[in-house]
Amino acid sequence: MIYLDNAATTPLLPTARAAMERYLGDAYGNPSSLHRPGREARQAVEEARRFFAGWLGVSPRDLAFTSGGTESNNLAIYGAYLAQRSHRTHVVTTAVEHHAVLEAVDRLRLLGADVTVVPVDSDGRVDPDDVVRALRPDTALVSVMLVNNEVGTVEPVAEIARRVKDVDPGIIVHSDMVQALPVMRLSLGDLGVDLASFSAHKVHGPKGVGLLYVRSGTPFVALAAGGNQEHRLRAGTEPVAGIVGFHAAMAELAQHFDAHRAHLSALRDALWRAIESLDGVYRNSPADAVPSILNVGFRGIRNDILLMRLDLEGIAASAGAACSAGSLEPSHVIRAMGRDREARESIRLSFAWQNTMEEIGVAAGVLSKVVGSLRSRFTNS
Ligand SMILES: Cc1ncc(COP(=O)(O)O)c(C=O)c1O
């Protein structure tokens, strides 16, 4: 199997797995306990927190471990809204956010929120002018992702944060950075956001662990009550082994960060070069997208059939869009880019550390064969 669906999840790094073993076994203490096993668990959690604080350029006090990107996004959005709802009830987000943001924001309507969804251009990019134009005196929150998970577009988050704060420093700025963590060196101070979300399993860590950044002083209501853990930002006993695995995976990735990024660029470019002359092919990912994601389509070929055929040939890819009742929903991201027809044709090929150039060669050959055979059978022109 050639796995080209790393934006969905990445394989656990052996070093992460090895680091986790101890905390799945003998070191089972609760980090809140005062005895020695508890202190050992606490130490592991705090080492992880210090590591991420260093990597992201923030204070360890401003980081809380969560159960993943979805939870981090939900905590950020509800937490920021609830803290301000007595005087601010307007929320701004974009048309290309992950569902964990779009649906959380949508639910805020039940709490009386008014929501503005800002459009994107044909590259999937938000214009900061549009975000600024959407602001109102009662805007509570602006949520704009840093890297889009379907096409890899990098959003101008630093500029948006700066301009939003220029208009009204009281507006809270959140960014979903789940897909940025594997491929971008992030300085949250420079990005200027108040809240940011991360996930372990996109950086070769375990599933079910994430991170939430809450800049000190940000109005924020913690959603879960019942414990003082994680600086009271997220109650509940910490998933110690998962946190240790997240730390180990990201630490290894960080050590090879530039080489890793160059490797992904080489893979992405080689794959595109090998398929760019195929009949009817087009590329949805802009040229300056992150190197981990290549979104392409083949005119007249439905993506669900294409993905099934690729799977049969041993290539795991995805549409990057939700699957419901066994069929693919047309991608809301590709549609927001003004490509309605392409939304049913496009597939996402996404790369990570373990992929090799040899795999890319094989994948390109399979794509060419499958597209050729589908075209001869189902041409709808
Ligand atoms: C941009 C983005 N946000 C949030 C998530 C959700 O993260 P998790 O799977 O850790 O809940 C994902 C993962 O699919 C993602 O790509």
Side-chain angles (χ1 to χ4, degrees), residues 97-120:
E97 299 298 311
H98 189 271
H99 283 111
V101 166
L102 285 178
E103 289 181 22
V105 165
D106 203 43
R107 280 201 187 172
L108 290 180
R109 294 180 203 268
L110 298 174
L111 300 174
D114 203 5
V115 177
T116 303
V117 179
V118 175
V120 294

Side-chain angles (χ1 to χ4, degrees), residues 24-362:
L24 291 166
D26 291 345
Y28 50 77
N30 183 327
S32 297
S33 302
L34 295 178
H35 45 59
R36 192 184 318 157
R39 291 198 308 275
E40 187 186 344
R42 166 64 49 209
Q43 192 179 341
V45 170
E46 296 315 319
E47 271 172 22
R49 198 186 318 278
R50 277 195 297 277
F51 165 78
F52 281 104
W55 181 251
L56 300 170
V58 299
S59 158
R61 286 205 63 78
D62 295 352
L63 294 176
F65 289 105
T66 67
S67 71
T70 300
E71 187 191 336
S72 295
N73 283 337
N74 275 266
L75 294 183
I77 288 164
Y78 291 119
Y81 183 78
L82 291 176
Q84 305 204 90
R85 84 189 264 220
S86 63
H87 53 294
R88 292 174 184 258
T89 52
H90 176 236
V91 175
V92 178
T93 189
T94 82
V96 293
E97 299 298 311
H98 189 271
H99 283 111
V101 166
L102 285 178
E103 289 181 22
V105 165
D106 203 43
R107 280 201 187 172
L108 290 180
R109 294 180 203 268
L110 298 174
L111 300 174
D114 203 5
V115 177
T116 303
V117 179
V118 175
V120 294
D121 67 12
S122 60
D123 280 344
R125 200 158 355 242
V126 184
D127 183 340
D129 287 343
D130 287 339
V131 175
V132 169
R133 263 194 294 273
L135 300 178
R136 304 192 327 206
D138 64 339
T139 303
L141 172 70
V142 170
S143 181
V144 180
M145 70 199 324
L146 185 52
V147 171
N148 181 268
N149 51 300
E150 292 195 30
V151 291
T153 302
V154 181
E155 302 295 349
V157 168
E159 184 182 346
I160 289 171
R162 182 174 48 74
R163 292 188 53 193
V164 167
K165 296 286 183 186
D166 280 350
V167 172
D168 180 351
I171 299 173
I172 298 176
V173 179
H174 165 250
S175 183
D176 175 344
M177 300 192 184
V178 166
Q179 296 288 347
L181 189 62
V183 283
M184 287 172 76
R185 286 183 185 275
L186 300 170
S187 161
L188 298 188
D190 291 347
L191 285 164
V193 299
D194 302 301
L195 303 166
S197 309
F198 306 93
S199 175
H201 71 104
K202 313 287 183 178
V203 292
H204 304 274
K207 293 163 187 61
V209 181
L211 192 62
L212 173 65
Y213 164 67
V214 182
R215 192 179 53 74
S216 305
T218 305
F220 185 82
V221 171
L223 221 59
N228 291 336
Q229 294 93 345
E230 300 301 293
H231 315 307
R232 300 190 72 109
L233 296 170
R234 195 243 187 195
T237 302
E238 297 88 341
V240 180
I243 291 169
V244 166
F246 188 12
H247 176 190
M250 192 64 218
E252 184 165 344
L253 206 60
Q255 259 185 10
H256 307 283
F257 208 74
D258 296 332
H260 167 64
R261 224 191 117 100
H263 178 61
L264 301 186
S265 290
L267 298 176
R268 188 259 324 259
D269 293 346
L271 184 55
W272 176 244
R273 268 198 308 277
I275 63 172
E276 70 182 325
S277 54
L278 293 183
D279 193 17
V281 71
Y282 53 86
R283 174 173 173 156
N284 297 311
S285 299
D288 60 356
V290 289
S292 45
I293 296 175
L294 177 64
N295 193 304
V296 297
F298 300 89
R299 218 154 279 297
I301 295 181
R302 271 176 45 185
N303 55 8
D304 52 354
I305 295 171
L306 176 57
L307 289 168
M308 247 182 304
R309 286 288 303 272
L310 289 176
D311 187 34
L312 289 172
E313 299 277 347
I315 310 285
S318 80
C323 193
S324 73
S327 74
L328 290 174
E329 295 281 338
S331 157
H332 71 285
V333 173
I334 307 287
R335 288 176 77 173
M337 291 161 71
R339 304 178 191 199
D340 265 2
R341 180 172 171 199
E342 290 84 345
R344 286 195 184 277
E345 296 175 345
S346 299
I347 65 169
R348 177 184 69 186
L349 302 148
S350 50
F351 317 100
W353 188 234
Q354 79 284 356
N355 291 129
T356 63
M357 209 41 111
E358 194 189 352
E359 287 181 328
I360 294 301
V362 175

